[in-house]
Amino acid sequence: MAAPIPLNAPIPLPLPVFKSNEYYTDSQWQTLFALLDAIIPSIVVDTEVTDKNNQLSITEAQCREAYERTKRNLKHAPSYDKFKEYLRVRPVDNPNFVEETKRVIGNISKGNKKELGVVLSVLNTRLGSLVATGSLLPLQEQSLEVKETILQSWNQARLNFWPMLGESFFKMAKSTFLQTDPLFHEISGFKHHTEDYKPGSGFEYEFMQFPAGSETERVTADVVIVGSGCGGAVCAKVLTEAGHDVVVVDKGYYFPPSQLPMTPQSASEYLYEGKGGMQSVDRSVGMLAGSCWGGGGTVNWSASLQLQGFVRQEWADRGLGFFTSQEFQDGMDRICEFMGVTDTGRPNHGNKVILDGARKLGWHAKACPQNTGGAEHYCGSCHAGCGSAEKRGPSVSWLPAAAQAGARFIEGFNVSKVLFDESTGSGKAVGIVGEWTSRDEDGRVNMSDSEGVFRRTVEVRAKRVIVAGGTLNSPLLLTRSGLKNPHIGKNLYLHPAAGIHATFDEDIKGWEGGILTSVCTSFENLDGKGHGVKLEASVMAPHILLYEHPWESALQWKLDALRYRQMANYISLVRDRDTGRVYADPDDGRPVVAYTPSAFDRAHLLTGLVAIAKLCYIQGATEIWSRIPGVPSFVRRRPVVSSVGVGVSVGVNEEGKGIAGPGEGVGEGHADTDDDDIAQGINDPDFVAWLRLLEKTGLGSPRATFGCAHQMGTCRMSARPGDGVVDPRGRVWEADGLYVADASVFPSASGVNPMITNMAIADYIARGVSRGLRRVELKL
Ligand SMILES: Cc1cc2nc3c(=O)[nH]c(=O)nc-3n(C[C@H](O)[C@H](O)[C@H](O)COP(=O)(O)OP(=O)(O)OC[C@H]3O[C@@H](n4cnc5c(N)ncnc54)[C@H](O)[C@@H]3O)c2cc1C
Ligand SMILES: *[C@@H]1O[C@H](CO)[C@@H](O)[C@H](O)[C@H]1NC(C)=O
Ligand SMILES: *[C@@H]1O[C@H](CO)[C@@H](O)[C@H](O)[C@H]1NC(C)=O
Ligand SMILES: *[C@@H]1O[C@H](CO)[C@@H](O)[C@H](O)[C@H]1NC(C)=O
Ligand SMILES: *[C@@H]1O[C@H](CO)[C@@H](O)[C@H](O)[C@H]1NC(C)=O
């Protein structure tokens, strides 16, 4: 137990040892790494080239010029030597980069693995190479210069196939580089935990243990809850404190504050569903959902917003009167009070842009309450777990309270089925069954079949079963258990989000401070029916922000990445009207999401992007990236109004990059020196022209991609049996004794970040379950 505690840093978690070369042949791997190498190559001044085949050369003058530009753009520029060292870095020579790439690919679905394998093989044939590159020479034998040109030509291709193919390689290279390159971290100053890191004291969990053996292990309880996330944890506390015998199980594991926040690789490995790499079938939406002890509550950003009136009314109009009742409001208030939800957070630069910018534009923005027990909690790493334990998520507040009242917990328990009473065939749920995987002898979770790790089949028999596995998993569990209701898995809402990021003329260090502490609500009702967007600040970790940063050339991307320290990241998050569905992958049972944001919802997202660009502009952004394919960045030429209101003159556009080029009229302003722009505000003609291009291009392209951390609705609550999966008390229409109590029961998208709504519904459902159990006890 007495592991040495690193000074001022979370205890690192070992990753599973990677068993290499299982999926692809050597030549397939070579082709892949040849591509990644061309995306982020080593870039060296021509007189200093040491390895002609593996270094992209530039002239001394080019290098100097790039450095001068970097110095102008950055308050904390590296020395010239450091700068050259950074350009020289060759990621594919870094064993961590290689291993991480292989690990990521190892965890994509079987189907996707096969697809990628085919592409890699084809690129390695003469004919395939001819089609993809216009040359008979297999891709990996081309020079770096030629490979770069090929990647650029994919970007420009008319057929969407090529840019989309390119995009998946770009993202892989960028994300892995940003996670594994020590020099990038050193120069930018980025740390995945706060400077003054000190772990909070965690709750001493005692999880149930089972000895090795081949027979089914049996446990009995009044209530078994599947999932320790936001819904499950609230149910656990309510039911245990009401005196019932409760068992909570989760397929994920518990990690104490001393191990949080995790490095990006460990966070993907241990905290997220699908190792953090889930995408919709058409790859339009990337998804994050928590899968660990505490579920989404362990990785969420603490934004604690109550459901708005118009959504409550919409749900009440579907016959669900609870949502306009005092009881619902009391529930949300109880939840917020227990978690210490307050808006004392000191906004960081990114969040201040929303608050101050909205004021200047006459829009409405407000501080976003946080569940941090009143603490200021100036920490930007919560997406990788909260080390201070200030964020009062399920593992810090709800589950310990349940434990103190006597709840029992099982981690590492993957539930495969709900069990029904076979004897009567009554459709009454009587428990669950699944597979439990032990930790290893030393309590580690980097799984393998050796080192004392073993699996047991465990059955938990209970009078009531509450499924709270989250929107992606709960419907799959119901289907696996034999339920037939056609609504199961349908009605999937995602709150898809489109992003904008921008640089400012200040030393921001945007990864510090609460991630999401303000929200602009002026565009939330764009159709008169409550569909529209919220504008929020987003997570700043470089591998999440910059992997979306457009790649136009190797040098441009590497240089832009250096400006990370002065960037801010925003999302336009839509309350989606149109839905998708989730079903099981036939190969391995994992959730597959079929969802394509509709034209209707994309139009709203675009309105949000335009609004965010205006917020950034008015607060002095020096360059703005919309990430819309085909729209160059906006580069400001005029004097910048700094946030303290003094005109500062900067010339950020000498590089002539990031603009549409001559003749397109974007960013083609005149380098005035007067203060026009202060008077013009967002009427700056350059900016207006760029916004017009943004709107004209729009988000219609299949290449446009979106993010999502809010999955809802796949077991929707309905007033009548034919309209949904659960009744107004959360009971599954098709079966007795079986309840769903997570975000999947939302009748439609919540519009606000869903946690508080989810918890208040879970609280209500749990109270109903408790009353039902009491009635049974009274009868006995
Ligand atoms: C990165 C991120 C940031 C977010 N930020 C915010 C925010 O700031 N504000 C907000 O309101 N919301 C936020 N959310 C959303 C919020 O966290 C979720 O809406 C909420 O957690 C959903 O709760 P749930 O009860 O539906 O399921 P979850 O919290 O997802 O919990 C489900 C649990 O069930 C377990 N499970 C699933 N299947 C099985 C099985 N077969 N056997 C055993 N266990 C199983 C999973 O491991 C998981 O732990 C964020 C989400 C993410 C991912
Ligand atoms: C787990 O991590 C430990 C410590 O780094 C390592 O020795 C061990 O081999 C790992 N186990 C597996 C199965 O990857
Ligand atoms: C993820 O990668 C690990 C390590 O290579 C592997 O053991 C595991 O089976 C992979 N998981 C999936 C779902 O492919
Ligand atoms: C994060 O999740 C925890 C646990 O579910 C919850 O207590 C907290 O309110 C959440 N914060 C928000 C709303 O993001
Ligand atoms: C969990 O169980 C389900 C159903 O038995 C299975 O499809 C899935 O692959 C399992 N997941 C893990 C991570 O073992």
Side-chain angles (χ1 to χ4, degrees):
M1 264 325 298
I5 300 201
L7 208 57
N8 293 338
I11 299 172
L13 278 168
L15 288 161
V17 172
F18 176 75
K19 292 186 221 79
S20 181
N21 301 4
E22 277 170 11
Y23 338 106
Y24 299 136
T25 62
D26 284 351
S27 79
Q28 283 171 318
W29 283 121
Q30 276 161 17
T31 304
L32 176 68
F33 284 109
L35 275 168
L36 302 185
D37 188 32
I39 295 168
I40 312 183
S42 169
I43 303 172
V44 180
V45 173
D46 46 18
T47 52
E48 296 168 18
V49 165
T50 50
D51 180 356
K52 214 162 104 343
N53 293 333
N54 295 320
Q55 290 169 337
L56 198 64
S57 73
I58 53 175
T59 63
E60 174 74 36
Q62 278 176 318
C63 189
R64 275 275 162 205
E65 191 274 330
Y67 180 63
E68 289 309 317
R69 209 188 314 151
T70 298
K71 261 189 14 191
R72 274 196 304 278
N73 281 332
L74 269 186
K75 299 278 177 226
H76 280 258
S79 69
Y80 188 48
D81 284 345
K82 261 281 163 325
F83 175 77
K84 287 207 298 188
E85 195 185 331
Y86 166 77
L87 289 186
R88 180 181 277 272
V89 163
R90 182 167 185 249
V92 299
D93 284 344
N94 175 353
N96 287 337
F97 178 92
V98 173
E99 180 168 338
E100 183 57 21
T101 303
K102 291 184 172 179
R103 192 198 320 282
V104 167
I105 289 174
N107 278 293
I108 62 180
S109 75
K110 216 164 149 184
N112 287 343
K113 241 182 247 166
K114 216 161 118 191
E115 232 175 84
L116 177 60
V118 170
V119 168
L120 293 174
S121 302
V122 167
L123 287 176
N124 215 9
T125 62
R126 283 169 172 272
L127 189 61
S129 186
L130 185 66
V131 173
T133 71
S135 157
L136 279 172
L137 204 58
L139 186 97
Q140 67 197 64
E141 287 166 34
Q142 301 280 11
S143 72
L144 270 179
E145 283 81 1
V146 172
K147 274 184 278 190
E148 184 178 34
T149 316
I150 291 168
L151 287 165
Q152 284 161 339
S153 75
W154 285 1
N155 254 352
Q156 304 302 325
R158 289 188 151 270
L159 220 58
N160 279 314
F161 174 80
W162 294 106
M164 287 173 84
L165 179 70
E167 194 53 36
S168 47
F169 292 115
F170 290 132
K171 284 189 170 152
M172 207 184 291
K174 292 185 276 190
S175 160
T176 312
F177 169 75
L178 294 161
Q179 290 182 50
T180 55
D181 188 57
L183 203 54
F184 172 80
H185 290 190
E186 183 193 319
I187 293 176
S188 66
F190 171 74
K191 280 208 173 65
H192 70 269
H193 55 81
T194 53
E195 300 276 353
D196 56 351
Y197 177 84
K198 225 172 50 232
S201 60
F203 182 73
E204 295 279 324
Y205 280 99
E206 273 179 44
F207 291 97
M208 293 179 77
Q209 303 296 325
F210 306 97
S214 56
E215 260 143 56
T216 299
E217 188 76 41
R218 288 205 167 73
V219 177
T220 57
D222 293 334
V223 184
V224 61
I225 300 171
V226 182
S228 64
C230 295
V234 170
C235 290
K237 174 174 183 288
V238 169
L239 284 160
T240 322
E241 289 182 349
H244 307 288
D245 179 16
V246 173
V247 171
V248 184
V249 309
D250 200 295
K251 62 182 175 170
Y253 291 83
Y254 173 67
F255 301 94
S258 60
Q259 295 178 337
L260 303 174
M262 293 188 188
T263 62
Q265 297 100 304
S266 299
S268 314
E269 182 71 29
Y270 298 121
L271 300 179
Y272 285 98
E273 179 74 26
K275 319 256 172 185
M278 269 189 309
Q279 284 187 324
S280 59
V281 175
D282 68 353
R283 309 215 175 126
S284 61
V285 189
M287 271 162 296
L288 290 177
S291 184
C292 53
W293 193 251
T298 298
V299 292
N300 70 21
W301 307 344
S302 301
S304 304
L305 294 165
Q306 297 202 352
L307 195 66
Q308 291 166 289
F310 61 91
V311 184
R312 297 186 204 190
Q313 192 58 52
E314 186 191 306
W315 292 0
D317 290 345
R318 296 169 182 242
L320 302 168
F322 167 62
F323 292 104
T324 44
S325 70
Q326 183 65 38
E327 198 175 0
F328 179 56
Q329 183 58 46
D330 289 347
M332 286 195 294
D333 288 342
R334 207 162 37 234
I335 300 286
C336 290
E337 191 186 89
F338 180 67
M339 296 196 295
V341 171
T342 50
D343 54 12
T344 56
R346 165 166 59 110
N348 64 8
H349 179 280
N351 282 283
K352 254 174 88 74
V353 163
I354 293 186
L355 293 170
D356 296 350
R359 190 184 57 78
K360 286 184 199 161
L361 294 168
W363 299 342
H364 183 255
K366 59 180 182 182
C368 185
Q370 309 275 305
N371 59 339
T372 49
E376 179 181 85
H377 196 62
Y378 200 71
C379 154
S381 316
C382 285
H383 59 283
C386 184
S388 69
E390 279 178 347
K391 181 174 78 176
R392 296 175 56 84
S395 62
V396 175
S397 55
W398 301 96
L399 295 163
Q404 270 146 12
R408 288 172 291 161
F409 301 142
I410 312 178
E411 57 169 3
F413 183 1
N414 180 21
V415 177
S416 52
K417 273 187 176 130
V418 176
L419 301 170
F420 294 95
D421 187 348
E422 301 285 344
S423 61
T424 62
S426 65
K428 159 124 184 42
V430 293
I432 52 150
V433 64
E435 188 177 62
W436 178 73
T437 307
S438 76
R439 289 178 178 249
D440 72 13
E441 287 160 347
D442 302 312
R444 285 189 301 236
V445 293
N446 54 337
M447 291 317 152
S448 81
D449 291 322
S450 57
E451 300 178 80
V453 176
F454 61 92
R455 296 168 214 281
R456 284 296 297 269
T457 301
V458 178
E459 222 178 78
V460 185
R461 295 263 162 183
K463 296 173 193 147
R464 297 286 185 274
V465 175
I466 299 182
V467 174
T471 296
L472 301 179
N473 282 298
S474 289
L476 269 55
L477 175 55
L478 296 186
T479 306
R480 282 202 299 271
S481 307
L483 299 194
K484 299 272 189 275
N485 187 330
H487 290 287
I488 296 173
K490 300 236 178 80
N491 200 44
L492 171 67
Y493 293 89
L494 292 182
H495 279 172
I500 275 202
H501 61 288
T503 46
F504 290 79
D505 199 33
E506 290 141 89
D507 187 36
I508 297 178
K509 294 168 84 185
W511 61 89
E512 294 180 356
I515 300 170
L516 199 182
T517 61
S518 64
V519 54
C520 172
T521 55
S522 289
F523 305 90
E524 65 185 6
N525 186 4
L526 294 170
D527 70 343
K529 292 180 180 159
H531 299 105
V533 290
K534 291 198 169 52
L535 315 181
E536 299 180 345
S538 183
V539 70
M540 282 297 304
H543 66 286
I544 300 178
L545 195 176
L546 282 170
Y547 101 121
E548 300 254 36
H549 191 87
W551 184 98
E552 283 141 27
S553 76
L555 183 62
Q556 161 267 338
W557 193 84
K558 243 185 183 180
L559 290 178
D560 280 356
L562 272 187
R563 298 167 69 188
Y564 165 65
R565 190 175 164 120
Q566 290 181 201
M567 281 181 185
N569 191 18
Y570 298 95
I571 47 176
S572 157
L573 179 149
V574 74
R575 174 167 188 252
D576 38 350
R577 183 193 69 178
D578 302 317
T579 61
R581 69 189 178 101
V582 61
Y583 56 93
D585 185 316
D587 287 328
D588 55 14
R590 74 170 76 190
V592 180
V593 169
Y595 184 107
T596 303
S598 67
F600 178 87
D601 292 323
R602 284 179 200 233
H604 289 173
L605 284 163
L606 183 64
T607 302
L609 289 186
V610 169
I612 295 172
K614 288 178 179 170
L615 289 172
C616 291
Y617 183 93
I618 204 77
Q619 287 305 103
T622 52
E623 186 161 0
I624 305 174
W625 290 266
S626 74
R627 303 179 198 161
I628 296 183
V631 178
S633 61
F634 170 76
V635 183
R636 190 186 203 116
R637 286 179 178 244
R638 293 161 179 260
V640 174
V641 188
S642 87
S643 48
V644 281
V646 186
V648 191
S649 197
V650 292
V652 281
N653 197 26
E654 298 102 87
E655 57 259 51
K657 64 179 256 312
I659 58 172
E664 302 223 0
V666 177
E668 286 283 297
H670 351 273
D672 311 15
T673 46
D674 55 60
D675 286 0
D676 267 7
D677 142 286
I678 298 172
Q680 289 180 29
I682 52 171
N683 297 326
D684 166 2
D686 286 356
F687 184 58
V688 170
W690 182 77
L691 288 182
R692 215 173 292 135
L693 176 65
L694 191 75
E695 288 177 315
K696 200 174 112 225
T697 312
L699 287 164
S701 159
R703 291 170 59 192
T705 54
F706 307 88
C708 151
H710 301 163
Q711 304 88 22
M712 300 158 287
T714 51
C715 297
R716 114 173 133 193
M717 185 179 274
S718 63
R720 282 178 308 276
D723 290 342
V725 178
V726 302
D727 75 9
R729 309 278 348 185
R731 188 183 62 89
V732 172
W733 284 114
E734 263 177 278
D736 276 334
L738 179 59
Y739 294 77
V740 181
D742 57 25
S744 71
V745 303
F746 288 15
S748 67
S750 58
V752 289
N753 308 49
M755 179 170 59
I756 297 299
T757 307
N758 179 13
M759 290 178 155
I761 297 177
D763 172 85
Y764 174 69
I765 293 174
R767 280 162 202 273
V769 168
S770 174
R771 270 196 303 274
L773 282 168
R774 290 248 175 288
R775 271 197 295 274
V776 175
E777 280 162 17
L778 284 177
K779 267 189 231 150
L780 288 178

